[in-house]
Amino acid sequence: RIEAARCPDVVVAQIDPRKLKKKQTVNISISGCQPAPEGYSPTLKWQQQQVANFSAVRQSLNKHRNHWRSQHLDSNVIMPKSEDEEGWKKFCLGERVYSEIDTLSDNENVGIDYMKVGFPPLLSIVSRMNQATVTSVLEYLISWFGEKKFTPELGRWLYALLACLEKPLLPEAHSLIRQLARRCSEVRLLEENKNEEQISALNLIICLVSRYFDQRDLADEPS
C-alpha cells in the first residue's frame, strides 16, 4: 500500500514515433475460395448428395466406433504418437509420396509394403484416434499439402479425418478446415491437365467443409 501510494495517479508512456513506422503491415486472409475452373464447378444437386453421403458415413462411424476400436490391428500397424508429425505423415502418405519417389523398386510379388505406400484410413485405425489426435493429424497433413501436390492417399485421409471431427468444431479445427478448403481451391485452379477425377476430389473436400461444416462463405456457387 505504501508503494502504491507513492505511484503517480497518471503515467504517460514515452513512445518513439520512429519505431511505430516499422513492421506495421499485417496480412490476414479473410477471402473465400478461388472459383472452380470454367466447366468444373459442381452442381448444387451433386453437393447436396455428397453432404448426404458424408453424413451417413459419420453416423455409421459413430454407431460402430466401439466395435471397430475393439478389432485387433495387424502386427505391422504401429500408430505414431499424437505429437509425432513426421511419423504421421509417413504413416498416412507412405514413404513414396512423403519422399516424392516416383517408382518403387521392390518386387511386386512380395506384397504391399504399407510403410512405402502408406496405411489406408481403416476404421480399426481411425476409431482409435481421439479428437486431439484427429485434429493434430489433420493439421500435419494440411501443413504438408500447403507445399505439395494433391494425391489419392492424402484425399482418403482428409475425408476420413473430416468424418471423425466432432461438431461443434473446436476453434483450431474450425481454422484448419477453412485453410484446407482454400488450399484445395488454389490447387484446383492450378491443375494443368484438368484431371477430372482430381478436381472432383478437390470439389468434394470444399463441399464438405463449406456445406456440412457450415462454412458457407467458402462454398462453390452451383454451375
Side-chain angles (χ1 to χ4, degrees):
R1 290 179 179 177
I2 294 173
E3 290 177 341
R6 291 173 180 170
C7 293
D9 293 334
V10 179
V11 178
V12 179
Q14 299 298 319
I15 300 175
D16 185 352
R18 291 173 298 177
K19 294 182 179 180
L20 295 179
K21 295 180 181 179
K22 298 179 181 179
K23 299 180 180 179
Q24 289 293 300
T25 302
V26 178
N27 294 320
I28 301 176
S29 176
I30 58 174
S31 60
C33 288
Q34 300 287 341
E38 187 175 353
Y40 290 91
S41 181
T43 64
L44 180 58
K45 182 178 180 180
W46 182 88
Q47 293 183 65
Q48 291 172 335
Q49 184 61 55
Q50 301 312 312
V51 169
N53 293 345
F54 183 68
S55 180
V57 168
R58 283 173 60 91
Q59 291 176 15
S60 178
L61 177 60
N62 289 331
K63 182 178 180 180
H64 301 291
R65 186 182 299 275
N66 290 334
H67 166 75
W68 287 108
R69 185 182 294 164
S70 66
Q71 300 301 301
H72 291 291
L73 295 174
D74 291 341
S75 59
N76 65 329
V77 182
I78 302 176
M79 296 173 63
K81 294 182 178 180
S82 180
E83 66 275 12
D84 184 3
E85 180 172 353
E86 300 305 310
W88 273 109
K89 289 176 182 176
K90 292 178 181 177
F91 183 88
C92 299
L93 304 173
E95 293 177 358
R96 179 175 62 85
V97 172
Y98 178 78
S99 304
E100 297 183 296
I101 300 172
D102 292 333
T103 58
L104 294 174
S105 58
D106 291 355
N107 190 331
E108 293 181 359
N109 296 327
V110 173
I112 298 176
D113 184 345
Y114 286 109
M115 294 304 295
K116 285 186 168 56
V117 300
F119 289 91
L122 302 173
L123 288 170
S124 55
I125 293 177
V126 298
S127 294
R128 284 174 162 79
M129 299 168 67
N130 59 29
Q131 282 300 288
T133 301
V134 169
T135 304
S136 293
V137 177
L138 192 59
E139 180 180 3
Y140 302 152
L141 295 183
I142 293 173
S143 174
W144 185 89
F145 183 36
E147 299 178 353
K148 306 292 183 179
K149 62 185 180 180
F150 185 82
T151 68
E153 295 85 355
L154 176 64
R156 285 191 289 267
W157 269 99
L158 290 175
Y159 187 95
L161 292 171
L162 289 176
C164 293
L165 272 184
E166 294 179 358
K167 296 175 73 175
L169 295 174
L170 295 173
E172 54 267 35
H174 177 270
S175 176
L176 280 172
I177 65 171
R178 289 182 63 83
Q179 179 183 342
L180 172 60
R182 291 194 184 102
R183 177 58 180 162
C184 286
S185 73
E186 293 172 359
V187 173
R188 177 180 65 180
L189 199 60
L190 297 173
E191 174 65 30
E192 295 180 357
N193 299 323
K194 295 296 181 285
N195 183 312
E196 191 167 338
E197 185 175 336
Q198 179 148 311
I199 290 181
S200 181
L202 295 167
N203 284 349
L204 173 58
I205 294 175
I206 295 170
C207 169
L208 297 180
V209 169
S210 61
R211 297 192 180 273
Y212 184 86
F213 290 103
D214 303 316
Q215 307 303 306
R216 297 304 174 96
D217 61 307
L218 302 179
D220 280 317
E221 293 298 326
S223 59

